[in-house]
Amino acid sequence: MSKKKYVYFFGVGKTEGDGTMKDLLGGKGAGLAEMTKLGIPVPPGFTITTETCNDYFNNNSQYPEGMWDEVLTNMKMVEDLMGLKFGDAEKPLLVSVRSGAKFSMPGMMDTVLNLGLTDSTIEGVIKRSNNEKFAYDAYRRFITMFASIVMGVDRMEFEHVLDKKKEKTKVKYDSELSADALKELVKEFKALYKKKVNQDFPQDPMEQLKLAINAVFGSWFGERAKTYRKLNGIADDLGTAVNVCTMVFGNMGDTSGTGVAFTRDPSTGEHKFYGECLINAQGEDVVAGIRTPMKVEELEKPMPDAYKHLMEIYQSLEKHYKDMLDLEFTIEDGKLYMLQVRVGKRTAAAALKIAMDMVDEGMIDKKTAILRVEPQQLDQFLHPMIDPKAKLKKLAKGLPASPGAAVGKAVFTAKEAEEWAEKGEKVLLIRLETSPEDIGGMHAAKGILTARGGMTSHAAVVARGMGKPCVAGCGDLVIDAKKKTCTVKEDVIKEGDWVTINGSTGEIILGETKLIEPSITGDFAKFMDWVDEFKDMGVRANADTPHDAEVALKFGAEGIGLCRTEHMFFEEDRIKAVREMILADDEAGRRKALAKILPMQKKDFKGIFKVMKGKPVTIRLLDPPLHEFLPHADKELNALAKEMGVAASKLKERNELLHEFNPMLGHRGCRLGVTYPEIYEIQVQAIMEAACELQKEGVSVIPEIMIPLVALTAEFTKMKDMTVKICNDVMEKAKVKVEYMVGTMIELPRAAIVADKIVEAGAEFFSFGTNDLTQTTFGLSRDDAGRFLPFYVDHKILPEDPFVSIDIDGVGELIKMGISKGRSAKDKLKVGICGEHGGEAKSVEFCYNAGMNYVSCSPYRVPLARLAAAHSMLKKKGSAASTTK
Ligand code: PEP
Ligand code: MG
């Protein structure tokens, strides 16, 4: 076996990794290696692999054998290349230490800069830079970063001392502190370090390096990183790489600077170099939002050569990677260095525009463009917008950091956001600026508003990634965290006050503003047309009313995969008749009540058929247990008895009679139709009469009548015979012939096991009801699972909530068995899914690979499902698809 390699070098003349090695080198390491290979100026350094991180954890937090030697060898190579020496008092090498997982993770450890500075090496730095102020500034920053990031001391402790120093020396900005003040500060910081850590600040650079490497490894299992991974579905066993890189300084004076930039606008996708930078600053200053950064194009005047070089580099990198990139750079005394390249995070709008523009520019093909937009991202297009007719009390404007409008009650800490949201409140998180600790609260909030920070601040980047509306850097906000209030010019927002933000414009509005539903237009519509070109599985919607059906059509549904008829029963004008039916003592009484329901149901079905204009509509016969239609509390029961003119005791008695210990496993679904056939008969009659009448009017209709909760072949046979008989009667009477189908839901394991027999009994289609199928396969009540499922997921007993994403190993096997058995009896059996999973990207891919004809989901998820279906096809068929289009 060849010896494991732990460390990869990058530097002029020798680069061991490249851009394809993200798994091993992490995103940052792979990017640095690739840029070095391309001849782009990158300060030399090395990457300790992600595998090393895993080995370290598997080995009781000990380095694997040989790793440290490799670090020393690589350090020596860097020293030779730079003509410097780590720890040397004359010509000291300083390095940065940064984490870098395969996927960029804002929850991970930040960067430690200026590592290698000690009381002795600082002398060399002063001598070489001829700038005492710069050297002490670097040292005080290093102590702060090392203490907070590596040793876990609260950064604010250092900030307080710094603030005091500024006050005492009467300056406003850190950069105005004199060399002497900074020198004093270093002394004070070291004393503070000793007080907090109980040890002297380490004066051995190798010890500093070791501790920093350990901290990077340790941060992989830090709370923030774990939360981020959980929210983003990133596996825990990927590990992080550690990048050790020669320091270059953006804070060496006015010919130095540092910045972050995107090759296109990450918010809108506009084809324009987009970035922020600061002159005479280190990288942390830009991201932290302490000083308000300037636009990257403003660099042209003070540093024309470096700016020109940056333009050339960004263009060539974008051409090379064929994607929008996120770059970090530093200019040291007029010379440009690139510190990071990675594919840039972007909003859905930007993802779409960039993908489509790149097709126009001939950079990528349509297939790649489609794969560049994640199905979940489409959610952002489907974000509500502020009703243009709403009267708004606009308070101020910040940066439009992440699009969409959000309305919520103001809270001022992430913890409160989580607590309030748990209680069912809609909250808007207002912070001075956010940090990785706030991730949970940001997730719980409807939107995020910050007083500080630019478009690349933590809040902006994370909110965009989450698809949450965010307004950042609103300087008019004055937050008083203690009082839990925030002043915006003359107005005061208190905790619990309704606030609206518009993340697309940056506006902050007082009050609970009305939001309106989105629609598919412009670029989005064109993109969705492309998606349909690469999609060979149907997407339908679950819709119970003509209005839902209209929304579904607007979003591109090709039919209705589930119309739950019980929702029609709850409408105010008919619940009374439904209750009369339940209270009837015999069949005749039930039929009398049902006769009142018939015309109303017929009207509903006509409405839906009309909207769907010849597209298939799957209507499910009544599913829930009857007691769901009766009130249970005494007060409501008494009122109902009065309203219906029956004795309250009778209602109570009927309620007791209908009571079930496990209603979801009880008298519901086709079991109702089997025992009270008149209920299903009336429903079938209503469906068929509606279809016949419309067909006569020239409207084509495709009804698909669906029997729920079938477990036994005999249940299906009985229900199908009844349905066919009623349909024939209605058609004969109406003298028209309507093409219709009768099928079943597969939502019980037994149905999947005997699927072939159900088809032999005449089922013409299957629709997998994966909500119930998950519940019954797991023996896990879907209504109660919320009490402990999160624990299961947190403790990795389950990889994720099986009610959200199909449990492929269990429920998935039953689905595959059901399809294969069903099709063994009827080759071309039409199969779909109508459980919630039909609108979840991973489940859609599973359904595609299992050979389903369509997925059906809520109307608002139809675009997502369309894109997920196209992705599934493109992934499965690979490049074959692109050659045919
Ligand atoms: C299902 O069980 O997946 C289904 C679609 O039916 P319901 O959610 O109405 O039980
Ligand atoms: Mg069901």
Side-chain angles (χ1 to χ4, degrees):
M1 211 175 80
S2 66
K3 199 177 144 280
K4 209 174 199 177
K5 185 170 166 59
Y6 297 107
V7 183
Y8 284 71
F9 183 77
F10 55 87
V12 189
K14 182 174 181 206
T15 304
E16 294 175 324
D18 65 41
T20 62
M21 297 167 71
K22 272 194 193 165
D23 285 344
L24 193 64
L25 302 181
K28 200 168 283 164
L32 289 167
E34 186 73 9
M35 286 197 291
T36 311
K37 248 181 80 182
L38 291 170
I40 287 169
V42 170
F46 53 89
T47 304
I48 306 173
T49 67
T50 55
E51 272 179 11
T52 315
C53 172
N54 287 333
D55 288 354
Y56 172 81
F57 281 113
N58 293 334
N59 194 18
N60 270 330
S61 300
Q62 299 290 323
Y63 296 148
E65 207 189 312
M67 173 210 132
W68 189 247
D69 288 342
E70 284 189 40
V71 167
L72 296 180
T73 311
N74 277 268
M75 196 57 128
K76 173 94 180 41
M77 292 198 293
V78 176
E79 288 172 342
D80 290 349
L81 209 57
M82 298 302 297
L84 301 169
K85 217 167 155 23
F86 195 49
D88 191 75
E90 287 290 314
K91 290 178 160 188
L93 171 72
L94 303 185
V95 295
S96 65
V97 178
R98 319 172 84 185
S99 61
K102 177 176 178 186
F103 304 105
S104 119
M105 282 177 49
M108 287 282 297
M109 196 191 89
D110 306 307
T111 307
V112 179
L113 302 175
N114 311 338
L115 190 133
L117 266 174
T118 63
D119 295 350
S120 135
T121 58
I122 193 165
E123 297 305 328
V125 175
I126 294 170
K127 217 190 271 164
R128 296 195 59 240
S129 63
N130 203 12
N131 189 338
E132 197 178 19
K133 176 175 161 171
F134 153 73
Y136 280 103
D137 187 48
Y139 201 8
R140 66 96 188 167
R141 285 168 187 272
F142 173 47
I143 299 170
T144 309
M145 279 187 265
F146 191 87
S148 60
I149 295 170
V150 179
M151 307 309 285
V153 181
D154 183 356
R155 192 189 169 98
M156 287 319 285
E157 302 268 358
F158 291 89
E159 294 291 334
H160 288 321
V161 179
L162 173 67
D163 284 344
K164 265 196 208 136
K165 181 70 60 199
K166 285 196 284 190
E167 224 170 82
K168 200 173 145 208
T169 52
K170 298 194 175 57
V171 301
K172 190 167 170 211
Y173 293 111
D174 305 358
S175 55
E176 293 164 337
L177 286 167
S178 67
D180 282 344
L182 288 163
K183 203 169 171 176
E184 278 170 31
L185 206 55
V186 165
K187 235 192 206 159
E188 290 163 26
F189 275 13
K190 281 197 293 187
L192 180 61
Y193 181 95
K194 185 161 186 189
K195 193 168 144 212
K196 293 286 160 191
V197 183
N198 276 330
Q199 272 165 13
D200 283 324
F201 187 73
Q203 292 296 316
D204 173 4
M206 280 301 172
E207 188 193 341
Q208 293 174 354
L209 182 63
K210 246 186 202 166
L211 287 169
I213 291 171
N214 296 351
V216 174
F217 285 159
S219 71
W220 179 251
F221 282 110
E223 283 312 311
R224 296 184 270 147
K226 282 200 289 191
T227 308
Y228 186 83
R229 285 202 292 275
K230 205 172 103 197
L231 294 176
N232 290 279
I234 298 174
D236 275 341
D237 59 2
L238 295 178
T240 178
V242 186
N243 298 291
V244 179
C245 200
T246 304
M247 272 308 300
V248 283
F249 296 96
N251 54 337
M252 264 205 178
D254 289 342
T255 51
S256 300
T258 186
V260 288
F262 294 90
T263 57
R264 302 187 186 210
D265 186 325
S267 199
T268 64
E270 194 190 340
H271 192 167
K272 159 176 182 267
F273 193 49
Y274 181 91
E276 291 169 338
C277 57
L278 283 171
I279 289 183
N280 196 10
Q282 280 204 319
E284 49 162 359
D285 301 339
V286 184
V287 189
I290 295 162
R291 269 162 64 187
T292 303
M294 59 195 228
K295 289 202 176 104
V296 70
E297 51 270 30
E298 290 173 55
L299 267 185
E300 189 172 7
K301 255 201 185 142
M303 296 176 219
D305 291 344
Y307 182 73
K308 191 165 159 262
H309 197 186
L310 181 62
M311 293 296 105
E312 286 161 9
I313 286 178
Y314 107 74
Q315 282 159 356
S316 74
L317 275 174
E318 199 188 73
K319 268 202 196 103
H320 179 72
Y321 278 92
K322 297 186 169 47
D323 205 344
M324 187 272 268
L325 304 171
D326 170 351
L327 308 171
E328 278 181 29
F329 62 90
T330 283
I331 300 166
E332 183 185 271
D333 201 13
K335 182 165 166 31
L336 175 74
Y337 292 92
M338 300 308 291
L339 303 184
Q340 174 158 296
V341 61
R342 62 182 172 194
V343 169
K345 282 202 193 314
R346 61 202 79 180
T347 63
L352 207 100
K353 179 158 170 50
I354 292 167
M356 294 176 82
D357 283 354
M358 285 188 170
V359 172
D360 284 349
E361 292 159 26
M363 261 169 127
I364 56 173
D365 60 10
K366 271 190 194 175
K367 184 186 95 175
T368 310
I370 289 167
L371 288 169
R372 286 270 171 90
V373 181
E374 284 304 321
Q376 308 64 281
Q377 279 190 307
L378 292 189
D379 230 20
Q380 286 189 33
F381 284 102
L382 306 167
H383 268 314
M385 289 172 287
I386 291 175
D387 182 353
K389 286 189 234 110
K391 280 216 168 73
L392 307 179
K393 176 160 183 185
K394 293 183 191 171
L395 297 183
K397 213 166 170 185
L399 297 170
S402 181
V407 183
K409 290 181 177 172
V411 288
F412 294 91
T413 65
K415 193 164 158 267
E416 272 153 349
E418 287 185 76
E419 286 168 3
W420 286 44
E422 210 145 90
K423 282 186 253 153
E425 297 275 12
K426 288 185 192 169
V427 293
L428 196 101
L429 179 61
I430 306 180
R431 304 279 289 147
L432 188 62
E433 60 199 330
T434 63
S435 71
E437 279 100 325
D438 293 335
I439 289 221
M442 294 171 78
H443 199 256
K446 295 281 166 205
I448 297 131
L449 169 60
T450 69
R452 278 192 193 163
M455 292 292 279
T456 48
S457 64
H458 178 268
V461 172
V462 174
R464 280 201 291 274
M466 286 180 176
K468 293 254 154 163
C470 172
V471 172
C474 177
D476 287 329
L477 293 188
V478 182
I479 298 174
D480 187 331
K482 267 201 197 117
K483 282 199 197 138
K484 298 187 179 178
T485 61
C486 133
T487 314
V488 195
K489 299 175 193 161
E490 292 89 56
D491 288 281
V492 177
I493 300 172
K494 293 191 293 302
E495 184 182 59
D497 285 352
W498 284 100
V499 179
T500 303
I501 55 166
N502 186 346
S504 313
T505 61
E507 278 160 349
I508 299 153
I509 297 141
L510 192 64
E512 190 184 1
T513 311
K514 183 163 176 258
L515 303 182
I516 53 163
E517 296 307 331
S519 62
I520 299 188
T521 49
D523 270 0
F524 187 20
K526 187 171 160 200
F527 180 78
M528 290 311 296
D529 285 345
W530 289 6
V531 165
D532 288 342
E533 280 179 42
F534 291 89
K535 167 174 99 49
D536 59 359
M537 176 168 71
V539 175
R540 297 191 186 186
N542 296 353
D544 305 337
T545 63
H547 173 259
D548 287 356
E550 266 168 31
V551 176
L553 268 190
K554 203 173 76 177
F555 288 137
E558 295 154 79
I560 289 180
L562 175 64
C563 171
R564 293 176 163 108
T565 48
E566 61 269 19
H567 292 168
M568 301 167 174
F569 278 28
F570 279 109
E571 302 242 323
E572 221 173 296
D573 55 343
R574 49 198 87 173
I575 184 78
K576 194 161 170 244
V578 174
R579 286 168 172 168
E580 265 174 46
M581 173 194 76
I582 297 170
L583 291 175
D585 294 318
D586 52 17
E587 189 187 324
R590 281 194 293 277
R591 284 200 185 273
K592 202 170 140 216
L594 283 163
K596 293 185 195 166
I597 298 171
L598 174 74
M600 302 189 232
Q601 282 246 294
K602 192 161 111 187
K603 196 167 141 241
D604 295 330
F605 295 138
K606 269 181 104 167
I608 292 176
F609 286 144
K610 246 189 195 158
V611 172
M612 294 310 290
K613 286 193 212 84
K615 292 192 163 64
V617 178
T618 307
I619 299 170
R620 177 179 75 184
L621 303 183
L622 196 66
D623 185 54
L626 292 180
H627 57 78
E628 281 199 7
F629 298 100
L630 290 180
H632 292 95
D634 273 356
K635 202 170 148 204
E636 287 169 68
L637 269 174
N638 290 337
L640 180 65
K642 210 163 162 198
E643 188 195 323
M644 296 188 67
V646 295
S649 57
K650 178 166 180 174
L651 263 182
K652 277 184 202 155
E653 193 186 299
R654 188 53 53 102
N655 242 348
E656 271 159 33
L657 212 66
L658 291 173
H659 171 78
E660 291 176 308
F661 285 102
N662 280 320
M664 282 294 109
L665 299 178
H667 197 183
R668 60 170 285 223
C670 69
R671 298 162 193 174
L672 285 172
V674 169
T675 48
Y676 300 130
E678 55 280 4
I679 301 178
Y680 275 21
E681 282 172 27
I682 288 294
Q683 290 200 291
V684 173
Q685 189 180 341
I687 296 168
M688 210 22 100
E689 285 185 2
C692 287
E693 283 174 24
L694 283 175
Q695 194 151 300
K696 270 190 190 167
E697 289 168 24
V699 181
S700 75
V701 279
I702 308 183
E704 297 175 345
I705 299 170
M706 182 155 79
I707 317 294
L709 216 77
V710 165
L712 304 162
T713 319
E715 288 171 329
F716 184 77
T717 310
K718 205 168 162 48
M719 292 301 96
K720 174 151 185 191
D721 290 350
M722 176 277 295
T723 305
V724 171
K725 183 178 175 309
I726 302 275
C727 287
N728 284 341
D729 288 352
V730 173
M731 288 194 288
E732 209 171 290
K733 220 163 150 194
K735 296 195 176 42
V736 270
K737 182 144 180 45
V738 172
E739 293 297 331
Y740 70 98
M741 287 207 268
V742 186
T744 184
M745 291 188 76
I746 304 285
E747 45 188 346
L748 294 174
R750 193 178 195 283
I753 295 166
V754 300
D756 47 345
K757 302 212 169 60
I758 297 177
V759 173
E760 280 157 15
E764 291 163 297
F765 67 86
F766 281 175
S767 177
F768 282 88
T770 44
N771 302 334
D772 272 313
L773 190 57
T774 302
Q775 155 165 275
T776 50
T777 302
F778 275 86
L780 177 61
S781 155
R782 62 201 247 197
D783 302 303
D784 303 314
R787 300 197 187 158
F788 62 92
L789 258 190
F791 182 93
Y792 267 49
V793 176
D794 281 350
H795 292 79
K796 306 221 164 1
I797 297 166
L798 265 174
E800 56 195 317
D801 184 338
F803 291 105
V804 173
S805 191
I806 285 181
D807 154 50
I808 291 176
D809 293 344
V811 177
E813 279 302 305
L814 279 172
I815 294 174
K816 285 200 251 173
M817 180 200 289
I819 297 176
S820 123
K821 285 201 158 193
R823 289 197 176 142
S824 72
K826 185 182 174 207
D827 202 14
K828 297 243 150 57
L829 180 76
K830 184 149 88 171
V831 178
I833 178 177
C834 62
E836 287 308 303
H837 306 88
E840 191 270 336
K842 255 192 288 166
S843 308
V844 171
E845 189 170 354
F846 167 80
C847 294
Y848 181 85
N849 292 326
M852 288 198 193
N853 301 85
Y854 69 86
V855 294
S856 186
C857 56
S858 89
Y860 288 97
R861 296 182 117 190
V862 165
L864 183 163
R866 284 161 70 194
L867 181 56
H871 276 203
S872 311
M873 178 180 131
L874 289 172
K875 283 188 205 158
K876 189 165 181 184
K877 303 203 170 148
S879 55
S882 71
T883 53
T884 56
K885 290 280 170 183

